[in-house]
Amino acid sequence: MTTKKDATIDAVAALAGVSRATVSRVLNRSAYVSADVAKKVCAAIEATNYMPNAQARLLAGGRRKAVVLVYPAVPFPPTWHFYQTETGVIRGCSVYGFNQKTLLLAPEDLTYHDQLLAPDFLNECEGLILTPPFADDARLIQKLEARGVSVALIAAGSATRRLRPGVGLDDEAAGFAIAEHLISLGHKRFGFIEGMTDHVSAFERLNGVLRGLSTHGIDHSQLLSVPGALTFETGISGFEAIQTSGFAPTAIICANDEMAAGALRSAYAYGLNVPRDISIVGFDDAPFARLLSPPLTTVSQGVVELAMRSVTLILEMVKGQTPSNELTPPQIVLRESTAAPR
């Protein structure tokens, strides 16, 4: 049998008993190839492993199924993270010949279980890619697994990472690294603006910060954590809540860059200079982070690349493989929004 390494379009054509041009037409889903010929060519593709088995199977079915990105619908503009995630999934689907669909669901409405488990919907899916908070919903993940659905997780918390394959940043390690950086500058009092209450990975970032404080003998009472929702507006309100509390931290850590941008805006409204009067840190390394004044110290996690990899995990599952969870180590991007406290 022709191996994957040496498989060529000519080998496929020879095995199927057709011309190279006919193989090309089948690969491009031309309407000028009969169903019987298309099946022969797809069988030869499978046998030679000329292209991913999943794509050959989709071609054999006469149409491509969709990889569905499931993302929370929120009552405010989607974050930069959403657009980068969707871009990565679209690119991955393009590489492997899948259709791509983005499904926005309200996470507070548990009818999303019924929507994602509907037989007609699942029949259209090659696999589902779940983002938080859906990636942290163990009951949903177990129900989908029982239905035999290929599921990949993006940025799942530690509790659900063991259930299905996925990709993400080591958020706890990222929080620890940020704390280490700030403590090395001399900071000893901190504010933290949280993510949404059901966003587990954002709280793992907070846990990492707290571990960093403990490692350096700083009591947890030296950190004030306030609610946020990963938006520019909650960065403003979170900063104001810390500022009016009387706690007076010298550094504020935000669970994402949108909130860090809001915190910067609020700092200037209070007449504070960043970083002379207060340091501010974000997460994600959004493209706008380097354009802020001052440019934002943050954590890079390669969102597009992670999202593309999630599509590869779906493909591997379709092919009968059992991929594992993959956590990327954090990379701190040092810019001018952090400095030693006055």
Side-chain angles (χ1 to χ4, degrees):
M1 179 184 290
T2 305
T3 66
K4 184 176 181 179
K5 181 178 180 181
D6 60 11
T8 65
I9 192 170
D10 294 310
V12 173
L15 185 60
V18 299
S19 69
R20 178 174 179 164
T22 298
V23 175
S24 180
R25 292 189 187 99
V26 173
L27 292 173
N28 289 289
R29 294 177 295 281
S30 170
Y32 301 104
V33 180
S34 70
D36 289 342
V37 170
K39 288 180 180 179
K40 288 170 56 179
V41 170
C42 288
I45 289 170
E46 290 276 10
T48 59
N49 208 10
Y50 171 67
M51 62 187 303
N53 289 342
Q55 189 170 349
R57 180 162 62 80
L58 294 174
L59 289 169
R63 61 183 176 84
R64 298 178 297 170
K65 290 188 176 181
V67 168
V68 181
L69 172 66
V70 183
Y71 214 89
V74 290
F76 39 76
T79 63
W80 163 87
H81 193 280
F82 164 76
Y83 291 115
Q84 293 293 87
T85 300
E86 187 176 51
T87 295
V89 171
I90 289 171
R91 289 182 184 176
C93 288
S94 177
V95 169
Y96 295 116
F98 294 122
N99 285 326
Q100 189 275 332
K101 180 178 179 181
T102 299
L103 190 62
L104 299 175
L105 297 175
E108 68 275 5
D109 180 0
L110 290 179
T111 59
Y112 70 76
H113 277 231
D114 296 331
Q115 292 176 260
L116 294 178
L117 293 165
D120 289 346
F121 170 74
L122 293 180
N123 287 338
E124 297 293 324
C125 297
E126 195 61 48
L128 295 178
I129 297 174
L130 304 182
T131 65
F134 310 108
D136 296 310
D137 186 337
R139 286 181 58 242
L140 173 65
I141 294 169
Q142 290 164 343
K143 288 178 180 179
L144 289 168
E145 184 177 27
R147 299 282 183 91
V149 181
S150 297
V151 176
L153 309 178
I154 293 181
S158 56
T160 52
R161 280 201 294 267
R162 59 185 174 81
L163 298 178
R164 297 301 302 164
V167 294
L169 174 73
D170 188 335
D171 290 288
E172 200 273 349
F176 180 82
I178 284 294
E180 290 262 276
H181 166 61
L182 292 172
I183 292 169
S184 72
L185 293 174
H187 293 278
K188 297 180 180 179
R189 288 172 69 81
F190 307 87
F192 190 97
I193 305 179
E194 304 165 359
M196 294 173 286
T197 56
D198 53 6
H199 200 290
V200 175
S201 60
F203 281 96
E204 291 187 347
R205 297 170 184 180
L206 174 58
N207 290 337
V209 172
L210 292 172
R211 179 167 68 89
L213 269 58
S214 297
T215 299
H216 291 274
I218 300 174
D219 192 83
H220 289 185
S221 65
Q222 298 305 300
L223 181 142
L224 174 63
S225 182
V226 299
L230 304 178
T231 65
F232 179 82
E233 290 76 14
T234 56
I236 293 175
S237 60
F239 186 94
E240 291 175 345
I242 293 171
Q243 187 68 18
T244 58
S245 69
F247 182 71
T250 59
I252 292 183
I253 305 165
C254 303
N256 76 340
D257 287 344
E258 272 87 354
M259 291 196 302
L264 277 171
R265 169 70 177 80
S266 192
Y268 288 125
Y270 276 94
L272 300 175
N273 178 278
V274 180
R276 187 186 65 202
D277 298 319
I278 192 166
S279 291
I280 294 178
V281 181
F283 274 87
D284 291 339
D285 194 23
F288 62 79
R290 66 181 183 274
L291 304 177
L292 295 172
S293 179
L296 184 67
T297 292
T298 184
V299 177
S300 175
Q301 58 174 315
V303 178
V304 171
E305 292 75 16
L306 288 176
M308 289 183 68
R309 177 60 185 155
S310 71
V311 180
T312 306
L313 297 181
I314 293 290
L315 177 65
E316 291 173 358
M317 284 182 271
V318 168
K319 294 171 69 176
Q321 301 173 12
T322 308
S324 59
N325 254 281
E326 303 172 6
L327 288 182
T328 60
Q331 179 183 349
I332 298 181
V333 182
L334 298 178
R335 298 194 179 102
E336 289 79 20
S337 68
T338 53
R342 294 174 66 178

